[in-house]
């Protein structure tokens, strides 16, 4: 049992350290776009993570309650990964709705003020995931019309993401139009961000 706990602790800690590296790899400008360097860096991080896990496991053996400490740390890491994989289930429907509607409002208000290219880029990157923000900035197209009202229809959870179906009412001069949209959200950089959307029929 003790060996199983030690092995589990080493494996989970190594996975945790490597996952932290993956989350922050885009901040290392040296690795940007250089696949060979990224591969070597990943191998190095895996090796360092395993070595750290083994050394910490050995160090904890010197303590009287090392079994309990390792079990608690392993449980904490499992809880962390559970949150990463199923984060929508950790929040109430009301919380997800408010967070989603706020980002949807920001998206439909992109065209309402005159913004500099820098300000628009910052706002798009704040509300959208990296890939979607890149595509949006490349297209340089803003949503048309002026936002009047957003009405929530449904919030659904799906593993590490959630979907928000809304009725969006916009003004085009004297005309008011209303369309249903379905937005997909996930977490990136510690925030709920739009990961995709479509207009429903």
């Amino acid at each position: 049992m003790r060996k199983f706990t030690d092995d589990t602790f080493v494996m989970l800690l190594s996975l945790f350290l490597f996952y932290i590296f993956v989350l922050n790899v885009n901040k290392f400008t040296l690795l940007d776009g250089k696949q060979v360097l990224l591969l070597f860096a990943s191998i190095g991080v895996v090796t360092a993570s395993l070595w750290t896990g083994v050394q910490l496991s050995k160090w904890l053996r010197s303590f009287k309650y090392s079994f309990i400490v390792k079990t608690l740390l392993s449980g904490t890491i499992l809880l962390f990964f559970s949150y990463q994989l199923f984060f929508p289930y950790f929040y109430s429907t009301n919380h997800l709705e408010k967070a989603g509607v706020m980002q949807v409002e920001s998206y439909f208000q992109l065209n309402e003020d005159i913004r500099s290219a820098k300000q628009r880029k910052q706002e798009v990157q704040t509300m959208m995931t990296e890939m979607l923000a890149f595509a949006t900035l490349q297209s340089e197209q803003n949503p048309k019309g002026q936002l009047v009202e957003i009405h929530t229809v449904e919030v659904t959870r799906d593993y590490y993401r959630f979907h928000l179906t809304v009725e969006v009412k916009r003004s085009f001069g004297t005309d008011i139009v209303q369309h249903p949209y379905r937005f997909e959200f996930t977490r990136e950089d510690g925030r709920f961000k739009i990961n995709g959307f479509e207009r429903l029929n």
Side-chain angles (χ1 to χ4, degrees):
M1 184 67 178
R2 189 172 295 275
K3 185 178 185 308
F4 175 77
T5 304
D6 289 347
D7 292 344
T8 302
F9 173 74
V10 171
M11 181 188 69
L12 287 174
L13 183 62
S14 301
L15 282 173
F16 173 75
L17 293 174
F18 183 71
Y19 182 74
I20 296 300
F21 166 74
V22 171
L23 286 181
N24 295 281
V25 71
N26 61 334
K27 295 178 182 177
F28 299 100
T29 54
L30 179 67
L31 303 176
D32 190 27
K34 299 172 182 173
Q35 298 301 321
V36 175
L37 286 178
L38 181 60
L39 175 63
F40 282 118
S42 298
I43 293 171
V45 170
V46 168
T47 304
S49 299
L50 286 170
W51 183 85
T52 302
V54 170
Q55 295 304 313
L56 186 58
S57 179
K58 288 179 180 178
W59 180 70
L60 286 172
R61 283 179 200 158
S62 62
F63 292 90
K64 183 178 180 180
Y65 300 105
S66 64
F67 177 80
I68 296 173
V69 172
K70 287 179 183 178
T71 302
L72 289 174
L73 287 174
S74 296
T76 302
I77 294 172
L78 282 174
L79 183 62
F80 170 80
F81 281 120
S82 298
Y83 176 78
Q84 298 301 314
L85 292 172
F86 306 103
F87 80 87
Y89 301 91
F90 286 78
Y91 296 91
S92 68
T93 300
N94 187 52
H95 182 88
L96 295 177
E97 178 187 347
K98 286 182 178 178
V101 167
M102 183 177 69
Q103 297 291 46
V104 173
E105 285 179 348
S106 297
Y107 170 71
F108 281 105
Q109 290 171 350
L110 272 177
N111 65 337
E112 292 191 1
D113 299 319
I114 298 174
R115 291 169 165 82
S116 65
K118 183 179 179 181
Q119 186 180 4
R120 181 176 183 272
K121 180 179 179 181
Q122 184 178 14
E123 290 185 10
V124 168
Q125 289 176 335
T126 300
M127 75 178 77
M128 296 179 179
T129 56
E130 186 177 352
M131 292 299 293
L132 184 60
F134 176 78
T136 301
L137 291 169
Q138 290 297 309
S139 68
E140 297 184 351
Q141 292 182 353
N142 289 329
K144 303 293 189 295
Q146 183 175 8
L147 181 64
V148 175
E149 183 184 16
I150 295 176
H151 172 68
T152 302
V153 177
E154 184 183 32
V155 178
T156 57
R157 297 168 173 86
D158 183 21
Y159 297 105
Y160 59 91
R161 58 194 175 186
F162 72 93
H163 298 94
L164 177 67
T165 305
V166 292
E167 289 280 350
V168 180
K169 189 181 292 185
R170 289 177 289 167
S171 170
F172 293 83
T174 57
D175 297 326
I176 302 292
V177 297
Q178 183 170 321
H179 296 290
Y181 284 84
R182 187 170 184 259
F183 285 81
E184 178 185 292
F185 292 86
T186 189
R187 277 181 68 86
E188 187 177 275
D189 300 328
R191 298 170 58 92
F192 297 120
K193 291 188 176 183
I194 301 171
N195 193 45
F197 61 90
E198 61 178 331
R199 200 176 92 174
L200 306 176
N201 295 326

